[in-house]
Amino acid sequence: AQSVSQHNHHVILSEAASLELGCNYSYGGTVNLFWYVQYPGQHLQLLLKYFSGDPLVKGIKGFEAEFIKSKFSFNLRKPSVQWSDTAEYFCALHAISSGSARQLTFGSGTQLTVLP
Amino acid sequence: DTGVSQDPRHKITKRGQNVTFRCDPISEHNRLYWYRQTLGQGPEFLTYFQNEAQLEKSRLLSDRFSAERPKGSFSTLEIQRTEQGDSAMYLCASAPPSPLHFGNGTRLTVT
């Protein structure tokens, strides 16, 4: 079965610092990858997604992620964080050839706190 | 707002009682999912509908749980004989088929 690992449970940064959140997955087949964000009191929102093609994908609010197939990774980056980026970030995987329904497998999340 | 709507937002119930949650997906989305999220964890898949057909259920979905989507529009998730371990956030998502759009969830507390 597939799995997603987010090793950083809580990251604390000052405004304008650069961000990189790790995401590694376990699955040998074709995958679609996603990053979702959950702001305090709000629903999960899609930040960006990778289906195929250019492994560097850009999302909303200046976020980007790079799919490195050889490392089974899909790390999230932002050059300069803002206080408003404080939220919980979830990496998720859809295993294309698993034979199961099209549900997502989520990591356990990374809480990002940006200090003003 | 034409997003995914869930009702109620919060539910407190006593152990052994039955509870039912409702999800109204985005109208043009034919896929509907239920997830459960506990503190410190990411959402875990429970079940999936394509239109009115329930196509997959997770092993997490014990026989006390049942979900329906009778006309391929809204969906209900019922938990019978609730247990304290059922306390969690129950999330609904819909998709056109991709990506998933989530609702705000229903937070269930079983006392």
Side-chain angles (χ1 to χ4, degrees):
Chain A
Q2 62 269 25
S3 65
V4 177
S5 297
Q6 293 181 246
H7 300 295
N8 307 109
H9 297 296
H10 196 180
V11 172
I12 302 173
L13 296 172
S14 297
E15 275 194 315
S18 64
L19 169 72
E20 182 160 2
L21 300 183
C23 171
N24 287 89
Y25 68 91
S26 173
Y27 185 69
T30 304
V31 296
N32 291 159
L33 293 160
F34 305 81
W35 276 96
Y36 280 82
V37 61
Q38 189 167 27
Y39 298 103
Q42 296 188 26
H43 60 275
L44 282 160
Q45 300 172 42
L46 181 69
L47 265 183
L48 48 79
K49 60 186 185 289
Y50 171 79
F51 285 174
S52 63
D54 188 344
L56 183 64
V57 293
K58 295 188 184 300
I60 60 171
K61 305 185 180 185
F63 286 90
E64 65 178 31
E66 185 175 13
F67 172 51
I68 303 179
K69 189 174 181 179
S70 61
K71 295 185 178 180
F72 297 89
S73 71
F74 189 58
N75 292 353
L76 181 71
R77 300 194 293 248
K78 186 172 184 179
S80 176
V81 295
Q82 301 173 311
W83 176 79
S84 58
D85 293 325
T86 294
E88 190 153 21
Y89 293 80
F90 293 93
C91 182
L93 168 152
H94 168 211
I96 299 294
S97 49
S98 67
S100 66
R102 292 159 178 78
Q103 78 274 18
L104 299 181
T105 300
F106 284 84
S108 57
T110 297
Q111 175 65 47
L112 172 66
T113 300
V114 180
L115 303 175
Chain B
D1 186 346
T2 58
V4 178
S5 176
Q6 291 189 247
D7 183 68
R9 291 292 302 273
H10 303 274
K11 178 70 177 178
I12 300 173
T13 191
K14 292 185 178 179
R15 189 177 55 184
Q17 297 295 304
N18 299 344
V19 294
T20 300
F21 311 140
R22 178 182 170 119
C23 171
D24 287 272
I26 295 171
S27 59
E28 59 267 29
H29 290 180
N30 62 1
R31 297 183 183 183
L32 187 147
Y33 303 77
W34 285 97
Y35 283 78
R36 181 172 68 187
Q37 186 176 17
T38 53
L39 200 61
Q41 299 297 320
E44 296 174 294
F45 170 75
L46 293 179
T47 190
Y48 156 65
F49 290 85
Q50 185 161 327
N51 299 312
E52 67 276 11
Q54 188 174 19
L55 296 185
E56 186 160 337
K57 293 190 288 186
S58 163
R59 285 170 292 179
L60 293 175
L61 211 67
S62 76
D63 56 6
R64 296 184 298 105
F65 288 70
S66 63
E68 294 183 341
R69 194 183 183 196
K71 297 183 180 179
S73 56
F74 73 93
S75 176
T76 58
L77 177 68
E78 181 183 17
I79 309 174
Q80 296 182 326
R81 306 180 303 281
T82 53
E83 302 173 356
Q84 286 187 320
D86 297 332
S87 295
M89 177 74 83
Y90 289 84
L91 300 171
C92 177
S94 68
S98 183
L100 269 61
H101 297 255
F102 284 87
N104 282 320
T106 294
R107 180 168 295 284
L108 173 66
T109 302
V110 182
T111 62

